[in-house]
Amino acid sequence: MRWIKRLFALLSLLLLAAAALAAFYAYRSLPKMNGSLQMAGLSAPVKVHRDASDVTHILATQPRDAWMAMGYVHAQERGWQMEFNRRVMRGTLSEVLGPTTLETDKLMRTLGLREAARRQLQGLPADAREALQAYSDGVNAFFAHSEQLLTPEFLLLGIRPQAEAAAGRYWDPLDSVAWSLMMALDLGGNWGNEFARLSALEAIDTPALWELFPPYPGEQPAATADLAKLYRELGVYRGKTVSSSAAPQPGGRDGLLASVREQIGADLQRWADELGNIEGKGSNNWVVSGARSATGMPLLANDPHLGLSAPAIWYFARLQAPDAGNTKGMDVIGATLPGTPFVVLGRTQQVAWGFTNTGPDVQDLFLEQINPANPAQYRVPSASDEPAWTNFGLRMETIRVKGQPDISHMVRSTRHGPVLSDAQARHGEVLDTSRFVLSLRWTALDQDNRNVVATMEANRAQTVDELLRAFRDFHSPMQSVVMADRSGRIAYKAAGKVPVRLPENDIRGVAPAPGWDLRYDWAGWLPYEETPQDSGARGWIATANQRIHGADYPHFLTQDWAAPYRQERIEAMLAQTPKHTPDSFRAMHADQQSAATVRLLPFLQKTASDHPLAAAAQAALRDFNGEMRLGSAAPLIYSAWVDAFTRRVIGERLGQARFEAMYGKRLFRNAVEGILERNDTSWCGAAGCAAASSLALADALNRLKAVHGDDVSTWRWGDAHPAISIHRPFSNVKPLARFFEVRTPTGGDPFTVNVGQYHLDKADAPYANRHAASLRAIYDLENLDNSRFIYQTGQSGNVFSSRYRDMSEAWAAVQYRTLTMKPGQWRSTLELRP
């Protein structure tokens, strides 16, 4: 008994020691926020204040010091986020995570983001290069010299950036330029839609394609070519059934680290497969003039919709510095992107602005025919009837792989751009890559990309006119910018580069085009003066990724606009209130009325079913008006039914393997609307769409019963639709996910103003809210210090910090924090000294 007591005492002592060590580590990993720190390279001390809203205020005596301090603070608060993003865009994940991330690395190397960034950096003016270098110096200073311990991700994955940072190589200006390209990659792509159309046309004809991918309401299909006939005559298809990409399988290793590596490889492969699909990547913004506000001055609102992550993609900060020599100063506050030194969305002393994604077609896939006599060559335009050929451009990339020999990856390119099918496994499942490959033409990779300059100049603007001049340099991805200044002026401008396509181009970028035919080449650029714009004559302007021009607009931008449900709802609410206030804007941000649900709801309500739960389900739907409230069962029943209907009807027509390769990334909701409204038996089958709806309802109820039980009265949309801010990599490790993820129940759906986009291909939580308002902001031009903001996690990227998730509940409740340049007091003050 005495030995048992001694053993118990020893174990208790060891547990206490371990707890004390963990607590000490957690404390030492938190950023220093008070006192002073030395940072070599500063010209003068910099104050880093944090206010009651936890907004960071960087007050410097010259711009270079402010940008350098911003780099230091981003690294201090979001070090792991920057490390992970740096490895994604450089294509060096496999160096620390092993072979499971090799395919993602190959894709990033194939796209050549660093090479494009190098070309673009050379064309930037001196002050832009100075800003990027100062920011990089600040990031490197933190990682090289800080006494703050690195967060658990670095520790568990064995990543030590100190030596690289001390040499000034950990972060460099190319990384900041490349991170801008990563945002363009996430928001500015439609190559996935082009490939999906190519794949679908192996199973259906061209008229059916336009039923599956309907054009925008009131428009005809953008392509007039018979695409199915074109691809059939060219012989582009591999000729065997498409198979869904499988997740990497464990390689027999055990332990937490191996699990992390394997799961993150699968996770990133899904992310890579979803690139080039613009559906669901939207936002809302609107502005009213003084004539429509209670104060007589403009009000502006913005909520960009992005993938939810922990930490959040944004970090709120203020940068203030006066002019110094030839470098202009700034005083700007708002949302920064860790990885870049500027405020992307926000306001200065006199002007505010907000973005939504315009979504023009700035990516084209080209079918490149391989020379059967020489596979090192591809077909190019010829002045004669005989085919002409030229060599592929070649670039060898060496990828380091943890625990394995280095991998040599040959990147091929054509006159259009990189050969994408060399790094997209699904392309080879559809395309006969012994005869054809797919190359990518993408605006963002061009040398004249000056997003850095546009954002820097916006940080200095004081009027709408100055913002309009600043955004002349904005390149990719095109953004729909609403703006307002203290003089009372409001405006809208689509800012970014859009290619012009020839009149004889009968494909117009909606599907892969023969790369050897000159009529499919881009013919120039739409002038900035001719991109859509609006001066707000109605008293308001609103955009929500809908078609942002009238039917009489003379230029083709895209066919892939978002359905206009959100924008129409916003405009209706703007019209309903004669004089708006921040509180009326809050109500608009919170709105969960789904017009898309209302459109299809009658088909569900009249669906006959002998399922045991059908009567209870129909009772729950009886008074449902399309408001997607988290406490209601009706939104869950409706969402499960339309999902099951889509899987049955479209899946059976395309073939399940092909369908599953497309579904989840896109919902095919516009197609379902047309199929049901036409009672289209070519899709629903000879028995008609009512019979298909009955089968779908039974499928849905079986699925819901398995997850939520057989008492329909206890079902809640919020239980199935939590907002999940995922953490990479620890969302993929179940014992750790509950600590690193940020979850909260939400309402809404993909078509509500308070958006809640789900990914139906994620079997573990198909209706979870994964893509939503990444921030909400309201700017009051009568008193800009009465502005407000919120986002879904917190400022800190350290899971041990109380600031890691402290905005989550307020975000879900559509509440805000004050965004002011004149806080009553500072919550903390750190001085950075030379």
Side-chain angles (χ1 to χ4, degrees), residues 124-190:
L124 297 181
D127 58 347
R129 295 197 304 272
E130 178 188 31
L132 299 179
Q133 186 60 60
Y135 180 84
S136 300
D137 291 345
V139 175
N140 289 321
F142 170 79
F143 281 112
H145 305 299
S146 175
E147 295 181 1
Q148 176 184 329
L149 297 180
L150 297 178
T151 54
E153 299 93 337
F154 289 94
L155 185 68
L156 289 172
L157 294 172
I159 298 173
R160 298 177 178 85
Q162 289 86 347
E164 206 175 357
R169 297 193 306 271
Y170 177 78
W171 193 275
D172 63 32
L174 296 182
D175 291 314
S176 294
V177 177
W179 190 239
S180 175
L181 297 179
M182 285 295 295
M183 291 301 296
L185 181 62
D186 185 46
L187 294 173
N190 79 325

Side-chain angles (χ1 to χ4, degrees), residues 790-804:
I790 199 70
Y791 59 87
Q792 87 286 358
T793 57
Q795 289 276 75
S796 176
N798 186 336
V799 71
F800 295 127
S801 172
S802 62
R803 302 161 52 244
Y804 183 74

Side-chain angles (χ1 to χ4, degrees), residues 710-755:
D710 58 6
D711 185 353
V712 175
S713 68
T714 66
W715 294 358
R716 298 289 181 269
W717 179 228
D719 293 339
H721 190 61
I724 304 178
S725 296
I726 64 166
H727 178 278
R728 287 193 171 109
F730 293 148
S731 282
N732 298 296
V733 185
K734 287 187 177 181
L736 297 178
R738 61 188 294 250
F739 299 105
F740 285 86
E741 286 184 346
V742 178
R743 292 186 176 226
T744 184
T746 57
D749 80 351
F751 306 98
T752 54
V753 175
N754 187 358
V755 78

Side-chain angles (χ1 to χ4, degrees), residues 287-304:
V287 60
V288 297
S289 71
R292 297 303 301 265
S293 81
T295 65
M297 289 292 283
L299 287 167
L300 187 150
N302 192 198
D303 56 301

Side-chain angles (χ1 to χ4, degrees), residues 503-559:
E504 57 267 33
N505 183 337
D506 57 0
I507 296 178
R508 300 179 91 181
V510 302
W516 56 91
D517 191 330
L518 283 173
R519 63 181 157 156
Y520 301 119
D521 283 4
W522 294 352
W525 304 99
L526 184 62
Y528 184 68
E529 292 75 15
E530 297 180 33
T531 66
Q533 54 195 4
D534 189 341
S535 60
R538 292 188 302 166
W540 73 69
I541 306 166
T543 81
N545 319 111
Q546 84 290 352
R547 188 181 69 185
I548 42 84
H549 59 72
D552 58 348
Y553 184 67
H555 305 292
F556 174 73
L557 298 185
T558 185
Q559 178 175 289

Side-chain angles (χ1 to χ4, degrees), residues 448 478 731:
D448 65 345
M478 179 179 253
S731 282

